[in-house]
């Protein structure tokens, strides 16, 4: 009897894994389906973005990052590129996960399935796209900076895992939330715009440092205390993710352990909260759809 | 071990019906709380059992809670109260082809849909040909499904669902879509499943399908269970449910259009005199007196003897016996039915009668519990049995030196 139960349980686990695989494949396959260039778009899109932002901020505004620590690369467009594709993964992953229950509502109303696989497949599919993008950027960095990139490139694996957990946790909360409050999407859109600038995608830390210095010099205060602009900037987990990826891909270095510790806490925290909200509300969402 | 595929115990399900449905943070903040809502009872204290291997029908008007009940069984909705147990692999076909992605090809969608319904890729590899074949979409299998006609869409979805080889299948009005060839194909597939001992729970508005296709049925009305029983009985009750049941002063219930009514039901002994108590082995005659108020074409009479649990012990029906007069003219009349005996266990029974125009969903009259009779114990009576079978102990042998060969 117990053996049979055990077999059934492991059977349902392989079924769930299989479902997740198929849902992810569906996302990946359908993304650029019926376009002449097909999957090439997943490379063209970020490269075009890098070129545009590189010209606007690097050439016109003259933004300048520090040279890569070990790589010696000194190219704003590449430094920016790491940030843009990573931001694309985090922002896009959360957005897709957020909308997953809504976009699959036809399915949810008609079929019983482990619902967590829906946002999970969205995050996985985005993760696959991101992997190809970041590898393209890494290859360019390797060509310019030397083979030493290979020494630390494996750090991408734990980083990717943490990022996916972070995205999934937040995405789960929002996916449940949006079922009850449909305008959550618009609030999130505004928040996203703030974070686009607050995460230092094209703003090097030195620029924020300079801004902090001029704030301090000007004697500006908020509620009687000095404005902790730089501290806030660095506390942002998205900034920390971007920094960690830049360390590996642009600097050929290990991320600082403080950043890794902070990211681990953020990711686990997001996942725990996400799973808690999910398990609390998932049974009730169908009737609200 | 019980042999029920589904057990539904005291299940209630409420939905929130919002007066002014707001689903926005803005409105919530402005009004200081979620919108007011009322509880709407979609299911109220429903209990039923679906025995393994049977085809079970759910009947009811639009909005009576049939789909809600199926969704609760399928685990899509969670009942507020009560419990539901199911046994075996289940496939819910509440809508075939849900989860198809329009941009993907038929083949890719088969894998995706199969995975959603719980099949592994290897299992689908094995069954792919059979799935495509059953759906009859070979030529289009590598086209994106957005180019499929809606019938092809349904065929492919149905084909995938049926190939999961479920022990228990929940089907919600799927039979209503598709052309007649496809419907016939579906029905014969269901018959096949039934022969393999699979359980099917089906919702349909087609009384004909229900009557022939289902073994048992349940009737829901405004979320409450009206009756459960053999499909024919429940379909009759449901079909005639527009007609109110009239309680008669002398005992009994009448339901029907009133085009004709039974004025009296009697049971006669061998001497031709009416009585209300009989031995289980004596011949009897049932006499139905009626008054036809209107002309009735091809009247179908039936009579039944039911026990105290409303179980049909015996039933005779004009269609089955191919005994259908051409016409019943207005006026009084009488019909006698010869019965060799009523070989049932002792106890209280009722003789019921029904009359309807052939093919009419509503009976002219359906008279129940108006003619009580009693059956005595016969000589060869035994407790705890339903029927009276003349039988006796015989031929005890002892002291044999070896088992009899
Ligand atoms: N998510 C929901 N929110 C609010 N009310 C609902 C919801 N789902 C169903 N209902 C209500 O529950 C009742 C039962 O619906 P259900 O779909 O079970 O009916 P049905 O018997 O399947 O009807 P039909 O024959 O039309 O298919 C209906 O009045 C419907 O409006
Ligand atoms: Mg329905």
């Amino acid at each position: 009897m117990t053996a049979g139960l055990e077999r059934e349980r492991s059977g349902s686990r392989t079924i769930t894994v299989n479902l997740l695989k198929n849902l992810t494949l569906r996302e990946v396959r359908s993304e650029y389906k019926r376009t002449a260039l097909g999957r090439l778009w997943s490379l063209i899109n970020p490269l075009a973005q890098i070129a545009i932002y590189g010209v606007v901020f690097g050439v016109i505004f003259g933004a300048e990052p520090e040279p890569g620590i070990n790589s010696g690369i000194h190219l704003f467009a590449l430094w920016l590129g790491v940030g843009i594709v990573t931001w694309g993964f985090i922002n896009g992953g959360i957005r897709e996960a957020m909308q997953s229950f809504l976009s699959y509502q036809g399915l949810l109303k008609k079929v019983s399935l482990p619902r967590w696989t829906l946002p999970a497949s969205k995050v996985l599919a985005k993760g696959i796209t991101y992997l190809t993008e970041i590898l393209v950027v890494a290859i360019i960095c390797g060509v310019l900076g030397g083979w030493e990139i290979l020494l630390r490139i494996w750090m991408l694996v734990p980083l990717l895992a943490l990022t996916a957990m972070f995205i999934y946790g937040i995405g789960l909360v929002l996916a449940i939330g949006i079922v009850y409050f449909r305008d959550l999407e618009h609030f999130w859109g505004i928040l996203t715009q703030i974070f686009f600038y607050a995460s230092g995608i094209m703003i090097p830390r030195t620029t924020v440092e300079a801004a902090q210095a001029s704030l301090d010099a000007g004697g500006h205060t908020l509620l009687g205390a000095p404005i902790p602009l730089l501290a806030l900037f660095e506390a942002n987990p998205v900034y920390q993710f971007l920094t960690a990826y830049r360390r590996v891909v642009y600097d050929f270095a290990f991320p600082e352990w403080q950043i890794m510790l902070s990211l681990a806490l953020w990711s686990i925290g997001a996942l725990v909260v996400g799973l808690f909200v999910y398990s609390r509300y998932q049974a009730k969402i169908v009737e609200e759809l | 071990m019980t042999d029920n595929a589904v057990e539904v115990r005291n299940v209630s399900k409420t939905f929130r019906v919002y007066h002014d449905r707001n689903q926005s943070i803005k409105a919530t903040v402005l009004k200081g709380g979620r919108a007011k809502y009322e509880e709407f009872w979609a299911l109220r204290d429903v209990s039923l059992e679906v025995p393994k291997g049977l085809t079970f029908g759910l009947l009811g008007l639009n909005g009576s809670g049939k789909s809600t009940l199926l969704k609760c069984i399928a685990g899509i909705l969670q009942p507020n109260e009560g419990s539901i147990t199911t046994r075996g692999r289940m496939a819910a076909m509440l809508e075939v082809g849900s989860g198809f992605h329009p941009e993907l090809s038929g083949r890719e969608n088969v894998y995706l849909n199969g995975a959603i319904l719980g099949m592994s890729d290897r299992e689908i590899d094995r069954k792919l040909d059979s799935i495509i074949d059953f759906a009859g979409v070979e030529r289009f299998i590598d086209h994106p499904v957005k180019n499929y006609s809606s019938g092809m869409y349904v065929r492919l979805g149905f084909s995938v669902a049926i190939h999961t080889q479920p022990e228990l299948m929940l089907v919600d009005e799927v039979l209503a879509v598709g052309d007649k060839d496809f419907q016939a194909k579906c029905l014969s597939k269901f018959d096949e499943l039934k022969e393999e001992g699979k359980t099917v729970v089906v919702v349909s508005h087609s009384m004909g399908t229900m009557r022939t296709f289902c073994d048992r049925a349940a009737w829901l009305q405004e979320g409450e269970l009206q009756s459960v029983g053999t499909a024919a009985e429940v379909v009759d009750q449901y079909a005639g449910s527009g007609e109110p049941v009239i309680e008669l002063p002398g005992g009994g219930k009448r339901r029907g259009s009133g085009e004709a009514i039974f004025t009296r039901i009697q049971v006669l002994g061998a001497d031709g005199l009416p009585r209300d108590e009989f031995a289980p082995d004596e011949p009897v005659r049932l006499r139905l007196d009626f008054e036809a108020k209107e002309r009735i074409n091809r009247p179908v009479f039936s009579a039944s003897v039911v026990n105290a649990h409303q179980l049909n012990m015996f039933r005779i029906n004009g269609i089955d016996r191919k005994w259908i007069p051409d016409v019943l003219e207005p006026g009084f009349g009488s019909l006698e039915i010869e019965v060799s005996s009523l070989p049932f266990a002792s106890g209280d029974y009722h003789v019921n009668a029904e009359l309807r125009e052939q093919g009419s969903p509503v009976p002219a009259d359906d008279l129940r519990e108006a003619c009580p009779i009693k059956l005595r114990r016969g000589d060869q009576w035994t407790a705890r049995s339903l029927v009276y079978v003349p039988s006796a102990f015989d031929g005890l042998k002892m002291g044999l030196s070896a088992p009899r060969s």
Side-chain angles (χ1 to χ4, degrees):
Chain A
M1 194 63 215
T2 36
L5 259 180
E6 197 55 45
R7 201 172 317 129
E8 199 160 283
R9 210 171 301 140
S10 78
S12 81
R13 201 177 310 135
T14 55
I15 284 172
T16 308
V17 170
N18 181 56
L19 172 62
L20 195 53
K21 186 187 98 186
N22 273 284
L23 286 171
T24 309
L25 280 180
R26 160 189 161 152
E27 290 301 323
V28 174
R29 281 192 190 131
S30 62
E31 192 175 7
Y32 294 107
K33 197 97 186 177
R34 322 257 140 235
T35 56
L37 296 178
R39 290 225 58 83
L40 266 182
W41 278 113
S42 66
L43 301 181
I44 296 171
N45 276 337
L47 288 179
Q49 268 187 318
I50 292 169
I52 293 166
Y53 284 110
V55 168
V56 172
F57 288 91
V59 180
I60 299 177
F61 287 104
E64 187 100 337
E66 286 159 74
I69 300 172
N70 297 329
S71 64
I73 305 176
H74 199 170
L75 195 61
F76 181 71
L78 274 183
W79 181 86
L80 181 77
V82 182
I84 284 184
V85 294
T86 306
W87 168 255
F89 176 37
I90 296 176
N91 177 36
I94 291 178
R95 182 168 294 276
E96 294 266 306
M98 169 168 75
Q99 281 157 344
S100 57
F101 290 147
L102 282 189
S103 65
Y104 274 111
Q105 55 177 302
L107 189 63
L108 286 172
K109 284 179 184 170
K110 303 290 180 192
V111 187
S112 135
L113 75 174
R115 291 167 186 156
W116 59 266
T117 53
L118 299 176
S121 72
K122 299 273 188 189
V123 175
L124 283 178
K126 273 271 174 250
I128 291 171
T129 308
Y130 173 62
L131 194 62
T132 58
E133 290 170 355
I134 193 78
L135 285 179
V136 167
V137 177
I139 288 170
I140 301 175
C141 287
V143 169
L144 294 180
W147 65 272
E148 287 88 348
I149 191 173
L150 296 175
L151 290 175
R152 313 256 155 73
I153 197 76
W154 58 267
M155 269 305 288
L156 284 183
V157 177
L159 264 178
L160 257 173
L162 286 182
T163 321
M165 280 163 63
F166 181 74
I167 295 173
Y168 187 53
I170 295 178
L172 269 182
V173 175
L174 294 175
I176 299 273
I178 201 172
V179 171
Y180 291 90
F181 302 106
R182 301 292 161 100
D183 60 350
L184 195 59
E185 195 180 351
H186 305 299
F187 283 87
W188 190 252
I190 294 170
L191 209 61
T192 306
Q193 284 190 24
I194 298 172
F195 268 76
F196 180 75
Y197 292 100
S199 303
I201 296 166
M202 60 233 157
I203 303 172
R205 185 179 178 280
T206 46
T207 310
V208 182
E209 232 169 6
Q212 176 80 66
S214 74
L215 271 183
D216 291 346
H220 294 282
T221 54
L222 184 72
L223 304 173
I227 301 169
L229 187 66
L230 186 62
L232 279 176
F233 186 71
E234 289 188 315
N236 173 3
V238 184
Y239 169 76
Q240 294 174 358
F241 270 120
L242 261 54
T243 307
Y245 280 105
R246 280 174 174 150
R247 287 281 177 274
V248 176
V249 177
Y250 185 77
D251 294 330
F252 301 181
F254 282 121
E256 292 85 340
W257 67 266
Q258 294 94 329
I259 287 190
M260 289 309 286
L261 180 65
S262 165
L263 288 180
L265 291 178
W266 273 107
S267 303
I268 293 170
L271 190 64
V272 167
V273 173
L275 291 178
F276 174 76
V277 170
Y278 170 80
S279 59
R280 180 99 198 259
Y281 288 100
Q282 63 97 11
K284 297 183 203 136
I285 58 172
V286 174
E287 52 209 77
E288 295 281 347
L289 281 171
Chain B
M1 280 298 275
T2 54
D3 44 4
N4 287 325
V6 184
E7 282 170 19
V8 177
R9 301 221 177 287
N10 307 101
V11 164
S12 295
K13 174 75 197 166
T14 61
F15 289 114
R16 292 177 173 187
V17 183
Y18 295 94
H19 291 305
D20 174 19
R21 185 155 200 198
N22 72 48
Q23 285 184 311
S24 69
I25 301 176
K26 191 189 87 199
T28 305
V29 172
L30 288 181
K31 290 187 185 161
R34 292 278 278 162
K36 286 209 180 64
Y37 62 85
E38 263 171 36
E39 299 272 293
F40 172 81
W41 291 76
L43 290 175
R44 208 188 277 265
D45 198 26
V46 172
S47 299
L48 52 86
E49 291 170 356
V50 180
K52 210 169 238 166
L54 293 193
T55 303
F56 193 97
L58 282 178
L59 288 162
L61 301 174
N62 293 142
S64 54
K66 305 178 298 290
S67 301
T68 305
L69 181 57
L70 278 196
K71 284 180 185 178
C72 287
I73 296 175
I76 296 168
L77 291 175
Q78 213 183 26
N80 304 61
E81 283 161 38
S83 67
I84 295 178
T85 333
T86 60
R87 297 189 179 80
R89 186 174 184 171
M90 176 166 61
M93 306 208 315
L94 304 185
E95 186 179 278
V96 289
S98 24
F100 273 8
H101 192 295
E103 293 290 345
L104 298 181
S105 75
R107 189 186 304 274
E108 286 166 328
N109 268 307
V110 167
Y111 280 89
L112 178 61
N113 217 237
I116 288 170
L117 296 175
M119 278 198 276
S120 71
D121 280 2
R122 233 176 309 140
E123 198 177 343
I124 302 173
D125 285 339
R126 252 189 298 119
K127 295 176 181 167
L128 187 64
D129 288 337
S130 160
I131 290 175
I132 297 173
D133 186 51
F134 185 86
V137 293
E138 295 87 348
R139 285 178 45 218
F140 302 94
I141 194 65
D142 288 312
H143 292 215
V145 297
K146 68 174 178 188
N147 296 344
Y148 281 27
S149 78
S150 43
M152 283 155 63
Y153 202 88
V154 170
R155 291 170 100 110
L156 191 60
F158 183 86
S159 182
V160 175
I162 209 131
H163 279 84
T164 58
Q165 290 187 325
E167 295 294 313
L168 166 63
M169 209 151 58
L170 310 175
V171 185
D172 194 348
E173 292 180 66
V174 177
L175 299 173
V177 247
D179 56 25
K180 68 176 175 6
D181 288 357
F182 179 66
Q183 283 192 14
K185 212 168 179 179
C186 293
L187 284 179
S188 75
K189 191 76 193 178
F190 283 133
D191 276 340
E192 224 170 86
L193 287 179
K194 196 161 153 184
E195 256 154 50
E196 291 165 15
K198 308 289 165 67
T199 316
V200 181
V201 181
V202 56
V203 171
S204 173
H205 288 290
S206 154
M207 294 301 123
T209 316
M210 279 304 212
R211 205 187 289 263
T212 53
F213 176 65
C214 296
D215 304 301
R216 290 178 69 75
W219 168 24
L220 280 173
Q221 175 128 350
E222 292 178 358
E224 290 180 44
L225 198 62
Q226 298 296 306
S227 68
V228 193
T230 65
E233 274 174 10
V234 177
V235 170
D236 284 347
Q237 286 176 13
Y238 171 65
S241 61
E243 309 296 324
V245 175
I246 304 163
E247 302 267 348
L248 300 177
K253 298 175 197 157
R254 180 188 299 289
R255 183 177 64 91
S257 67
E259 288 161 355
I261 53 167
F262 290 104
T263 49
R264 191 172 58 179
I265 304 177
Q266 287 180 314
V267 187
L268 316 179
D271 51 3
L273 295 177
R275 269 193 280 141
D276 58 4
E277 198 170 325
F278 299 90
D281 46 9
E282 70 176 296
V284 299
R285 288 176 84 79
L286 311 181
R287 178 188 287 162
L288 315 178
D289 296 332
F290 58 86
E291 179 188 359
K293 308 215 159 138
E294 285 162 41
R295 192 185 148 99
I296 295 178
N297 290 317
R298 301 191 60 74
V300 177
F301 286 92
S302 49
S304 57
V305 178
V306 301
N307 70 5
H309 302 295
Q310 299 302 317
L311 184 70
N312 272 349
M313 299 301 292
F314 154 72
R315 182 160 180 266
I316 179 168
N317 170 296
I319 293 181
D320 299 340
R321 300 298 168 94
K322 301 196 169 50
W323 190 89
I324 305 177
D326 286 335
V327 67
L328 215 58
E329 297 291 349
F332 293 94
S334 176
L335 170 71
E336 290 199 359
I337 300 168
E338 194 182 300
V339 180
S340 69
S341 66
L342 295 173
F344 312 138
S346 67
D348 294 315
Y349 294 83
H350 281 108
V351 182
N352 298 339
E354 194 205 80
L355 170 61
R356 69 171 73 209
E357 194 166 88
Q358 188 176 14
S360 163
V362 185
D365 190 18
D366 177 7
L367 183 59
R368 288 162 192 258
E369 297 174 29
C371 171
I373 56 167
K374 220 183 220 358
L375 284 178
R376 283 193 295 269
R377 293 183 179 192
D379 300 334
Q380 292 163 17
W381 173 85
T382 306
R384 285 193 276 140
S385 61
L386 283 179
V387 295
Y388 177 85
V389 179
S391 51
F393 292 106
D394 187 25
L396 176 67
K397 291 196 174 69
M398 280 188 290
L400 298 180
S401 57
R404 273 175 62 158
S405 55

